[in-house]
Amino acid sequence: MPHPNDPKLRSFVPVDPASHFPIQNLPYGVFSARDGLAPRVGVAIGDHVLDLWELAQDCRFDLVEPAVFAASSLNPFMALGPQVWSKTRARISELLRADHPELRDNDDLRKRALVPMKDVKLHLPITVSGYTDFYASKEHATNVGVMFRGKDNALQPNWLHMPIGYNGRASTVVVSGTRVRRPRGQLKPPNVELPSFGPCKRLDFELEMGVVVGQPSKMGEMLTEQQAEAMIFGFVILNDWSARDIQQWEYVPLGPFQAKAFATSISPWVVTREALEPFRLNGPEQAPAPLPYLRQTKPNNYDIELEVDLRAGEMNEAKIICQTNFKYMYWSSVQQLVHHASSGCAMNVGDLLGSGTISGPEKHQRGSLLEISWNGTEPADLGGGVKRSFLEDGDSLQMSGWCQGDGYRVGFGAVEGTIAPAE
Ligand code: CA
């Protein structure tokens, strides 16, 4: 049987070369269709969703019970482990192949199992157990450091020795398309003596990738590089919405709290680690060498093109405000997971790890408005006289990402969010 990542594979389902969802991808999501049935598990293929529950009902999988795909989250499937993930993906690939007649020639099953994507509603794909956000781009950390502490103290002394992170909120992780209400909080601009409570005035986004952890680890036990990698089910694009003015006042000494707790948006399709395998590469050189527990023996970064589009409320069309790549991240997702468990912290099925804002070395590669507008001093020009230092009510922000193969794209789709006014 050909490997599901084989670039030569073609599906009987038509897939445009620009589509994010060729047969080489097969990302998992949770959808509901017009049939009125409860949300269930599907896989994206071109402009269609393959209904895995329908296929399982028809006894097309040996290893997975239909109930697993009838769930409204991927957690039960993820809990089955990497061998089942890999074998299921290979089976789905076989069922969709142009040269495999099983589904292609079964009119009844094909009609039930392939749903046009325009007819489905996509849901939050995982039940988020815990959400941790890192700070792993050297360019982003340096930009922010220069703005707030000056060039000579840009990176804190610990930054080059470990992936810095904080525990975020799982309760407010939402799927693409969910409106984001402008948060309220304590504000105290530097020139004012006492804080006040009100709507955030410096609302920002952060372009990140999210790691979906598909296997647990035991409390008290550390992870090796290999163990951590095997626990990663897949990746999504993640927007870590940030209230800069709330953050500035509250973050001393324990880090972000309300400034980040109000919303985090993720893309609906989880692209598996296996589908990203052909796009692996080495990250930036790490100097000084990390401590032994964080050392890597293989390339753990990925070549993922990322783009951010902003449509101000008064504009008809979105404008690209950032184009960067996941490959620039200093600390890899594997290192983040190893570090996360290193104290003895147990990891759970459904944990979500934000990579940290992804900025590159160039100006057009900055992954937040804080950096793009350089803390409001250089507003982004969106054309037609529209400028933005931070997000206004009615603004819509979209992030997308993909790996470019030879003649095909393994993509993530997009994560979108529109800003609603504060109450
Ligand atoms: Ca962040």
Side-chain angles (χ1 to χ4, degrees):
M1 197 157 83
H3 192 278
N5 289 348
D6 187 337
K8 290 190 294 293
L9 290 187
R10 291 294 175 266
S11 175
F12 65 83
V13 180
V15 179
D16 189 274
S19 168
H20 282 199
F21 310 123
I23 193 168
Q24 289 81 5
N25 190 350
L26 308 177
Y28 292 91
V30 170
F31 75 101
S32 51
R34 286 179 181 168
D35 55 19
L37 294 174
R40 56 200 184 270
V41 175
V43 154
I45 177 78
D47 295 333
H48 286 77
V49 177
L50 184 69
D51 186 333
L52 298 187
W53 173 76
E54 285 282 4
L55 293 174
Q57 289 274 81
D58 213 67
C59 306
R60 303 291 163 170
F61 297 107
D62 295 336
L63 297 169
V64 189
E65 296 293 321
V68 167
F69 293 135
S72 60
S73 94
L74 296 174
N75 294 39
F77 176 60
M78 293 196 295
L80 298 177
Q83 287 199 352
V84 175
W85 308 340
S86 191
K87 285 180 177 158
T88 304
R89 181 167 178 266
R91 175 66 176 138
I92 294 167
S93 172
E94 180 181 56
L95 285 167
L96 287 170
R97 258 169 36 209
D99 59 357
H100 187 81
E102 186 178 341
L103 182 60
R104 186 193 68 194
D105 297 345
N106 185 334
D107 285 352
D108 176 54
L109 183 59
R110 206 183 58 240
K111 274 182 197 143
R112 279 187 285 131
L114 274 172
V115 189
M117 208 175 290
K118 63 177 172 46
D119 293 339
V120 310
K121 179 173 159 52
L122 295 170
H123 301 268
L124 190 67
I126 57 170
T127 302
V128 183
S129 302
Y131 166 46
T132 308
D133 192 30
F134 285 92
Y135 189 57
S137 152
K138 193 174 176 185
E139 287 82 2
H140 170 71
T142 304
N143 285 341
V144 174
V146 168
M147 267 182 259
F148 294 111
R149 287 184 301 276
K151 225 168 159 182
D152 297 333
N153 303 302
L155 283 185
Q156 300 281 12
N158 55 9
W159 200 92
L160 290 169
H161 297 278
M162 66 173 130
I164 300 297
Y166 67 94
N167 286 299
R169 285 298 297 174
S171 62
T172 32
V173 175
V174 294
V175 73
S176 174
T178 307
R179 276 163 76 87
V180 173
R181 190 172 289 285
R182 178 175 297 275
R184 291 141 299 185
Q186 279 206 22
L187 312 170
K188 198 196 86 64
N191 54 344
V192 174
E193 204 184 325
L194 289 170
S196 59
F197 186 85
C200 157
K201 294 189 178 70
R202 295 160 78 86
L203 183 55
D204 201 355
F205 70 87
E206 290 188 339
L207 168 63
E208 304 193 18
M209 296 299 298
V211 167
V212 177
V213 177
Q215 287 285 282
S217 71
K218 286 202 182 86
M219 185 175 169
E221 290 188 8
M222 291 181 74
L223 296 172
T224 63
E225 177 190 14
Q226 288 73 20
Q227 287 167 331
E229 189 196 344
M231 285 166 61
I232 296 176
F233 176 73
F235 291 78
V236 291
I237 306 176
L238 183 150
N239 183 350
D240 179 32
W241 302 97
S242 299
R244 300 298 179 196
D245 40 6
I246 298 173
Q247 187 175 357
Q248 189 183 17
W249 169 232
E250 76 172 4
Y251 88 105
V252 181
L254 288 185
F257 184 43
Q258 296 299 297
K260 305 277 191 172
F262 60 96
T264 304
S265 301
I266 64 171
S267 52
W269 295 108
V270 183
V271 176
T272 61
R273 174 169 52 80
E274 195 177 277
L276 296 176
E277 199 55 41
F279 307 98
R280 245 178 209 280
L281 40 68
N282 280 306
E285 199 199 332
Q286 297 186 315
L291 289 168
Y293 81 103
L294 284 172
R295 282 187 199 150
Q296 309 188 96
T297 59
K298 56 197 279 198
N300 285 325
N301 280 40
Y302 296 97
D303 185 358
I304 304 175
E305 310 264 2
L306 295 164
E307 186 178 296
V308 181
D309 304 78
L310 173 58
R311 187 179 56 73
E314 60 266 46
M315 292 161 63
N316 292 322
E317 280 189 13
K319 175 158 165 115
I320 299 172
I321 57 169
C322 166
Q323 283 174 301
T324 187
N325 195 300
F326 191 41
K327 69 182 178 187
Y328 296 119
M329 298 308 274
Y330 188 87
W331 295 105
S332 73
S333 306
V334 167
Q335 286 177 313
Q336 291 175 344
L337 190 46
V338 166
H339 183 64
H340 206 318
S342 63
S343 64
C345 172
M347 304 305 298
N348 287 322
V349 175
D351 278 341
L352 178 67
L353 312 185
S355 61
T357 307
I358 305 161
S359 293
E362 307 291 331
K363 218 172 167 177
H364 69 277
Q365 296 176 321
R366 295 173 176 172
S368 66
L369 274 171
L370 177 70
E371 294 164 273
I372 293 169
S373 76
W374 209 251
N375 200 18
T377 59
E378 301 167 25
D381 188 350
L382 303 180
V386 181
K387 294 192 174 181
R388 283 291 184 275
S389 290
F390 294 99
L391 298 167
E392 307 279 338
D393 294 344
D395 287 0
S396 167
L397 194 100
Q398 179 169 295
M399 300 169 174
S400 57
W402 63 90
C403 304
Q404 187 63 56
D406 188 6
Y408 68 98
R409 274 180 174 182
V410 170
F412 291 80
V415 53
E416 189 274 343
T418 298
I419 308 301
E423 287 264 81

